[in-house]
Amino acid sequence: MTMMWYDGGWGWGGWFVMAVMMVVFWGLVIAGIVAVVHYVGDARRDGRAAPADERGWGQRRAEELLAERFARGEIDEDEYRRRRALLREPP
């Protein structure tokens, strides 16, 4: 008795199509994850999703950056004092 193999008529073409579709599927999954991470990262840099700014941490960080620029010599003392005063003004 011989055994008959039934492959539904796809042959090697079916395996090739399945392999391509698997690569496309995982590529879309990875691209989606990268897009979400990129979006969340941009939102935090723009200040839209940074509740720490509401507690004054953003102002302290801005003053630290200003002090670093002054220490590196990028800005002079007058500009440093003027910008620091602007940062400390109430909104």
Side-chain angles (χ1 to χ4, degrees), residues 20-69:
V20 169
M21 293 306 290
M22 176 95 52
V23 170
V24 169
F25 171 77
W26 285 111
L28 288 173
V29 168
I30 292 170
I33 291 171
V34 168
V36 166
V37 168
H38 182 72
Y39 176 76
V40 169
D42 279 349
R44 289 194 179 176
R45 267 184 257 124
D46 291 343
R48 290 178 288 183
D53 284 340
E54 295 170 6
R55 293 179 285 217
W57 295 353
Q59 180 180 355
R60 276 188 255 144
R61 180 66 181 141
E63 287 186 21
E64 288 173 6
L65 291 173
L66 186 63
E68 288 174 12
R69 289 186 63 199

